[in-house]
Amino acid sequence: MDKNAVTTPVAPLVPATILGRQQMRIPTAGKIRAGIKVLTKAAAANPAIKALYDDGLAHNATFEQIEQKIAERFPDVKTPLAPKNVAWFTVRPNDFPNPALAGQILAAYGEDRGDGEVRLYRFPVIFPADAWQSVMPHELACWARSEKRYWSEYSLDGQTRRCMMFSPAKVDQHKQRAVRTFGGRGTQPRPENDGLCDPERCPEFQNRQCNLSGRFIFYIPGIRSLDAFELHTNSFYALSRAIERFEAIAFMRGGRIAGFLDRNRTPFYFTKKLREVSHLDAKTGQPVRSAHWIIELEAPVDVAALLAQQDVESTLRIADDAARALQGDVAPMPNDASDSIQVVDMPADAAGNTPAATQARQTPSRSTAAAPPANAEGADAVYALGAELGVERARLDAYLDWAWGAGWRRNAQGIKRVQAELARYQGNAEGLRQHIDAEIGPQE
């Protein structure tokens, strides 16, 4: 077993701050683009616009910068650039706060496939979190020229999709100016559609103004950057296939997708595959198939070796539990060796109080044992943390088995990741209960 794959102690209570307890966001250090943008037929017919486009490419300007320059000079041209599907990824210096990163990526993983141009066709990545929703955020979004107008967002029940917008600015009637806000602009459900996102009845979606928008967030091995990188895509097929890969790998790794895939330091890879995809013809409504370069997430790992590695880790953990039992640290439940509870005498503090974890409600069973302390190891630490947050063990088990698979408690890394997730809710027990209700339904 990896010597670093050990269960960490439960983190101390997270204090509230002036900025609240918002979900952690992974900072990014630039964009790798899925394709390129070219001049539309109407724009390409104008020599001056073509000169602006060529000059922008020569000076490594981003496509947004090129489009903005064209719009400033030729305001009557509404859409000067259009996306073009190509076999490679675009890496341009101006898409990075540190432009040198673009050169480092191309130098490490770029290829010349016979046309004299070094391009990025395939590159390795590792993901910084285990929840695929965190490393592949996506939404339906409608953009104006300068900002996002509407976007989709699920309610706490995880079932209702809302159509959201920024709240109008509040005006101080006495001073006749906008009220200064703290913490950014407020949001609200869109009033025109009662705040419900229904693409088939949405005029913006039907007019192709509102579209699926997603991005991958990752690190690139060998590229030194504290911030992650991002790759945007609007492809339903690319995002759906990536979810399949994420879920398959997580199932075989005890809920993990972060980091390298195995002991050989195998990463994921991004590449592109030419695939035929179907869509409905806008005029006839009939399905039409056409070829497109689709982003493909590869996991070139030996599945048998990966599963064997998990078996070894599970066996080692069982052996470790048995060793502790022989040393008198664990009192197994009668007739149920798989459901043991660790019994540790915890000294009282100066006031005679025992730790909060030992005061948690115990799960009824054929034998009564002390609840695990806050610094217990293994799955006991998870249950201790859940007790501190006021979640019954049976309820916590149901949620964790649904979210991480039943194997989390038999895998040291799985336990470590579950602990990290619960630790984020310390000081916000109600938030955890709402999250569990949204994922597996309210408690009956």
Side-chain angles (χ1 to χ4, degrees), residues 67-321:
E67 197 165 24
Q68 183 177 358
K69 282 189 175 182
I70 294 175
E72 291 173 354
R73 291 275 303 275
F74 302 92
D76 295 336
V77 180
K78 301 300 181 183
T79 54
L81 301 182
K84 182 179 180 181
N85 192 249
V86 292
W88 61 87
F89 301 95
T90 301
V91 185
R92 302 182 67 80
N94 285 5
D95 282 324
F96 297 83
N98 177 8
L101 289 174
Q104 294 175 19
I105 294 172
L106 287 175
Y109 303 111
E111 302 175 54
D112 181 354
R113 295 194 173 180
D115 59 359
E117 291 286 340
V118 176
R119 297 189 175 101
L120 191 64
Y121 292 91
R122 185 174 184 264
F123 62 101
V125 299
I126 55 175
F127 294 101
D130 287 325
W132 63 259
Q133 295 89 342
S134 298
V135 298
M136 198 191 76
H138 56 283
E139 62 185 354
L140 288 168
C142 175
W143 288 83
R145 181 177 290 273
S146 59
E147 68 173 6
K148 186 163 58 175
R149 294 179 61 197
Y150 313 116
W151 64 91
S152 65
E153 189 175 289
Y154 276 92
S155 57
L156 289 177
D157 61 11
Q159 303 295 325
T160 306
R161 190 170 60 232
R162 299 290 185 182
C163 180
M164 304 296 293
M165 61 178 289
F166 289 112
S167 302
K170 296 180 181 179
V171 178
D172 188 325
Q173 298 298 329
H174 298 287
K175 298 181 179 180
Q176 291 298 309
R177 66 180 184 182
V179 175
R180 184 184 177 198
T181 60
F182 176 74
R185 297 174 62 182
T187 62
Q188 67 177 42
R190 183 182 177 185
E192 293 90 343
N193 55 10
D194 296 324
L196 296 178
C197 176
D198 186 353
E200 294 183 1
R201 297 183 180 181
C202 174
E204 284 79 17
F205 184 84
Q206 295 300 322
N207 291 327
R208 301 182 181 277
Q209 297 171 350
C210 181
N211 297 290
L212 177 65
S213 175
R215 60 194 177 113
F216 297 97
I217 300 175
F218 50 87
Y219 289 93
I220 302 177
I223 305 301
R224 297 182 178 180
S225 173
L226 181 61
D227 294 334
F229 303 98
E230 55 185 305
L231 170 65
H232 286 249
T233 179
N234 298 330
S235 171
F236 173 85
Y237 296 95
L239 296 173
S240 299
R241 290 177 65 87
I243 292 174
E244 295 174 358
R245 298 290 193 279
F246 284 139
E247 292 182 340
I249 289 294
F251 178 79
M252 291 183 287
R253 299 183 68 213
R256 295 194 62 206
I257 62 174
F260 291 104
L261 299 178
D262 55 24
R263 295 176 181 175
N264 297 324
R265 301 176 64 84
T266 303
F268 284 96
Y269 281 86
F270 275 126
T271 186
K272 285 190 174 185
K273 297 291 179 64
L274 187 63
R275 298 186 181 278
E276 284 197 350
V277 298
S278 62
H279 65 277
L280 294 179
D281 184 86
K283 295 181 179 179
T284 65
Q286 297 298 314
V288 178
R289 297 185 66 85
S290 55
H292 291 274
W293 289 100
I294 303 295
I295 296 174
E296 188 86 0
L297 181 64
E298 297 179 344
V301 66
D302 184 339
V303 173
L306 189 62
L307 291 173
Q309 176 180 322
Q310 296 305 309
D311 290 341
V312 169
E313 291 182 355
S314 298
T315 302
L316 290 175
R317 185 175 184 277
I318 293 172
D320 184 59
D321 289 342

Side-chain angles (χ1 to χ4, degrees), residues 17 25 32 41 72 105 147 180 214 315 325 330 366 390 424:
T17 71
R25 295 184 179 273
I32 295 175
K41 186 176 181 180
E72 291 173 354
I105 294 172
E147 68 173 6
R180 184 184 177 198
T315 302
V330 176
R366 292 169 296 193
R424 292 192 298 108

Side-chain angles (χ1 to χ4, degrees), residues 392-407:
E392 298 178 0
R393 177 165 175 165
R395 181 73 171 163
L396 186 63
D397 269 334
Y399 164 66
L400 294 177
D401 288 353
W402 179 89
W404 297 84

